[in-house]
Amino acid sequence: MMTRSVVEYLERSAARFPDKTAVDDGSTALTYRQLRSGARRIGAALAERVQAVREPVAVFLDKTAESIMAFQGVLYSGNFYCPLDSEMPPDRIRAILSVTDPKVILTDEAHRAAAEQFAGAARIETMEELLALPEHPGREESVDRILSGCTETDPLYVLFTSGSTGVPKGVLVSHRVIINYAEWLEETFSMDSEVVIGNQAPLYFDISMHDTYGAFYFGGTLVIIPPALFSFPARLIEFMNEKKISSILWVPSAMGIFAALKAFRSGLPQYLQTVMFAGEVLPRRNLDYWMEHLPDTVFANLYGPTETFVCTGYICDGTEPAGEPMPIGKPIANSTALLLTEDGREAAPGETGELCLRGSCLATGYYNNPEKTGEVFVQNPLQAKYPDRIYRTGDLVKYNEQGDLIYLSRRDNQIKHMGYRIELGEIETAGYGIPEIRDCVCFYDYSRKRIVFCYDGAEIEKKSLRAALAEKIPSYMMPGRFIHLDALPHNANGKIDRKKLSAEYS
Amino acid sequence: MREKILEILEDLIPDEEIEGRTGLVEDRILSSFTILNLISEIYDELDIEIPVEDVVPENFDSLDAIVAVVEKYQQV
């Protein structure tokens, strides 16, 4: 039977391996039986409160096993989740909530007070309260009835990306995208119920969907690695061995830390069979370091903006020419790539074009934002005879001689910093909200891997400037350097000369 | 040595009072990227390499701890 909802993965694995650990965050571990039963209770209780299906439920928790239960609970209620994190700045949470306008914010007692600050009209429910509700007959049946009404095109989650105008965009992704991906994962990699996936990404970052649903699809274990361990690779390796982590999908900056500190001198993650990376370009010397030390491990480069989840993949075979970027490979199952040139043609072999995707990998669109949706989810310009939806990534790519895609650059001012996709415009918009600042502009210093913020107007003490920006932007967007100038330079078009500043101050 | 390390730290985390405080790791004053940058600056500026075995929270939790681990690997 066809899969209609990713909840079926949890149901199936709970039936096969009830006493196996489903999720372990380093301090709390839940078996499949515990996770399923808790999530069903949450789901039934939420369903009674939301009284609707296919509605957003915001989840405001720390990065823990409890969050995973909360997300699954939302799905059992027939709704979809919007992960918030207690580390996000309040203004960002408010902006996300104003776009999603959820009826319910699901949190726990520890975060209730914080959640109340942004709740607005939303009702606050806590995990403790929902789990403590007395059993009543018909509750199990009500969850089953809800699940039987789901279809694969129902929304699964809404995740927020940086928006250039300062308003974050909520990417709405359906069950189908993840179902299609999980099936591709099984066809492409030799994973089975023994898999132990070590999560690095925040739960509001879509890479974590691979970790969660990859583990549940196979009936393996999801291990949420405590974030602090990423500063201390020797301790991290010990943790990975203790938990027998066999598969990871990390951002390259997390992998780069191992290479920079020559971490494998202290020991090897001996259970690792698959290492995948995605989210930004992985420098070859860092990958070479990993490949040298783990010769029997499979390495794969995955690619995909939030709007397509993972949509291409490449298994590294060690024959890739040094000094060239690692290919991003070929589209995953049920997805195709189209390379469009600036004049709207399909790029010739070897020619650069904007990567556009079509097929099952496509997100539904931006939540509550038809205008932005219409800008990038567009009709295939090469197909005039019937509706054929494509997503324009804004990434410039080309094919190499082997027919694999090579990522070249961004078309606009979007950068990747520590795996996060950031529109520099969003930081600039936050800067323009500070009264002392006349003009401001950001650029990315690729050599020192930091965002540089240049401004004119009155000079502001660095501490107050950071504090003012922190009200608007998350910490990963915080510039690493601030430069005050008497006047920002302008180019011939009258625009602030970002290039000149970047050349001068990088 | 202590002066130099303080200078590097102040450059990396300009808005934090470092002298005399502990909990740099626990309070997440030093992020994973900052620790990495600190180690590479120490290598560039002082030519001292801290091996990964000593890149552990205890050795980065205060200026005193950082100075102690750097001195441990200083060439005599």
Side-chain angles (χ1 to χ4, degrees), chain A residues 23-204:
Chain A
V23 54
D24 179 352
D25 63 18
S27 42
T28 302
L30 298 172
T31 64
Y32 272 105
R33 190 201 311 273
Q34 289 169 323
L35 178 63
R36 173 178 181 269
S37 122
R40 286 180 77 103
R41 290 178 76 109
I42 301 282
L46 274 178
E48 285 162 12
R49 283 158 171 74
V50 179
Q51 288 290 330
V53 290
R54 294 182 279 278
E55 286 287 325
V57 173
V59 177
F60 180 67
L61 290 167
D62 290 333
K63 192 184 182 189
T64 54
E66 184 190 35
S67 298
I68 302 297
M69 184 188 280
F71 297 154
Q72 301 308 304
V74 172
L75 299 181
Y76 276 113
S77 78
N79 293 294
F80 60 97
Y81 57 94
C82 172
L84 302 174
D85 186 283
S86 45
E87 297 205 345
M88 285 177 175
D91 272 12
R92 185 164 174 89
I93 293 179
R94 281 192 196 95
I96 290 174
L97 290 175
S98 82
V99 176
T100 40
D101 190 22
K103 282 190 182 151
V104 170
I105 298 175
L106 179 56
T107 184
D108 59 11
E109 289 303 333
H111 295 90
R112 181 197 274 274
E116 275 166 358
Q117 289 175 23
F118 356 91
R123 172 175 177 155
I124 292 179
E125 301 287 351
T126 66
M127 294 290 283
E128 290 88 343
E129 279 172 358
L130 296 187
L131 287 169
L133 288 175
E135 285 290 339
H136 71 71
R139 179 170 283 159
E140 285 286 311
E141 288 77 4
S142 80
V143 168
D144 290 331
R145 200 167 50 246
I146 291 166
L147 290 183
S148 70
C150 291
T151 68
E152 60 163 10
T153 49
D154 285 351
L156 168 58
Y157 57 81
V158 60
L159 285 187
F160 281 77
T161 66
S162 175
S164 51
T165 54
V167 180
K169 292 177 292 192
V171 183
L172 188 70
V173 173
S174 70
H175 288 260
R176 175 165 64 185
V177 173
I178 300 299
I179 292 167
N180 185 61
Y181 172 76
E183 291 173 2
W184 173 79
L185 203 59
E186 184 175 28
E187 283 167 21
T188 313
F189 299 93
S190 50
M191 286 187 199
D192 55 27
S193 61
E194 297 294 304
V195 74
V196 180
I197 297 182
N199 156 275
Q200 170 263 321
L203 301 179
Y204 52 83

